[in-house]
Amino acid sequence: MTRPLLIAPSLLAADFARLGEEVAAIEAAGADWLHLDIMDGHFVPNISFGPAVVKALRKHSRMPFDVHLMIAPADPYLAAFAEAGADLISLHPEAGPHLHRSLQTIKGLGKKAGVVLNPGTSPSTIEHVMDLLDLILVMTVNPGFGGQSFIHSQLPKIATLRKMIEASGREIHLQIDGGVTDKTAPLCIEAGADVLVAGTAVFGKPDYAAAIAGLRKAN
Ligand code: DX5
Ligand code: ZN
């Protein structure tokens, strides 16, 4: 494929007792972005970490911070994540009643904006907010946990979204999150993805650089 491929390791699978070192190690291993999963135990059945941790890690890395909010409501916390050092903030349409307003808020904070589509959420949900988007994230697992199996039924959705992006004429990243491995990465890329999130497939491996290279090989 000609499209540049970006790898965004998910910190959720890192050693939480050594987060600063883990971030430095993954950057040295060739990661492009750092994916930060924010979970509230309400929108998803798990709790991870909040803006204080994002802020603490910011000084350990020059990588773009890709913050995936799995919290509801998200609106009251957007400024906190922007101030903590997020470069890109993504949220789920189901997290609030006014998706367009939430995206406007993120852009107003000077950050890139993304929308996340759960496995059961249709691409049509974002048809009328494309002009505000810098990234579309397709969940290939139900959000909440790392280490789940890739849901193959999402592949046609990735292809549909690639067509929507092309029709928009805008530069919008198409990111995949959940069950990405060296086996499923080629399928995602073939369907049109250009950013791969990987937790277990990177932090779960002894050699981070080899794991990242393995995901890139698919491109
Ligand atoms: C799941 C998170 C993912 C998770 C992916 O809700 O959004 O980013 O860390 O983990 P793996 O790559 O192990 O499926
Ligand atoms: Zn994520």
Side-chain angles (χ1 to χ4, degrees):
M1 292 288 290
T2 49
R3 208 173 285 123
L5 179 71
L6 302 177
I7 305 295
S10 165
L11 197 65
L12 194 66
D15 179 351
F16 275 23
R18 301 170 41 249
L19 283 179
E21 290 164 49
E22 290 276 68
V23 168
I26 212 75
E27 185 164 4
D32 297 296
W33 296 356
L34 184 69
H35 185 81
L36 297 132
D37 288 301
I38 313 299
M39 303 178 177
D40 66 354
H42 164 76
F43 182 70
V44 290
N46 194 9
I47 298 175
S48 58
F49 51 84
V53 171
V54 176
K55 187 177 179 186
L57 292 173
R58 185 65 279 186
K59 54 181 168 297
H60 289 265
S61 173
R62 300 168 77 94
M63 285 182 288
F65 275 16
D66 163 31
V67 172
H68 173 190
L69 297 181
M70 287 162 273
I71 62 175
D75 289 353
Y77 303 99
L78 297 175
F81 284 102
E83 282 157 21
D87 295 283
L88 191 149
I89 300 175
S90 300
L91 46 73
H92 289 247
E94 296 86 357
H98 302 291
L99 177 61
H100 189 278
R101 176 181 287 151
S102 300
L103 294 171
Q104 279 183 320
T105 302
I106 296 170
K107 302 295 278 187
L109 290 162
K111 304 301 175 184
K112 291 190 171 147
V115 166
V116 192
L117 301 180
N118 276 334
T121 305
S122 168
S124 61
T125 312
I126 57 171
E127 199 179 332
H128 301 288
V129 297
M130 292 290 282
D131 58 317
L132 288 170
L133 294 181
D134 299 293
L135 175 139
I136 300 165
L137 168 49
V138 177
M139 291 305 304
T140 41
V141 298
N142 284 296
F145 302 95
Q148 303 182 80
S149 298
F150 186 88
I151 302 174
H152 286 258
S153 64
Q154 300 305 299
L155 288 168
K157 188 157 92 182
I158 299 169
T160 298
L161 287 160
R162 172 50 66 192
K163 288 201 188 91
M164 283 172 66
I165 291 169
E166 276 166 13
S168 78
R170 303 191 66 249
E171 280 188 28
I172 302 174
H173 287 295
L174 184 51
Q175 183 181 50
I176 312 303
D177 186 5
V180 172
T181 64
D182 51 7
K183 303 272 183 315
T184 56
L187 308 175
C188 299
I189 294 163
E190 180 66 30
D194 71 315
V195 188
L196 302 180
V197 174
T200 314
V202 174
F203 282 106
K205 296 280 167 67
D207 183 340
Y208 296 167
I212 290 172
L215 294 174
R216 282 194 204 286
K217 221 164 49 194
N219 202 32

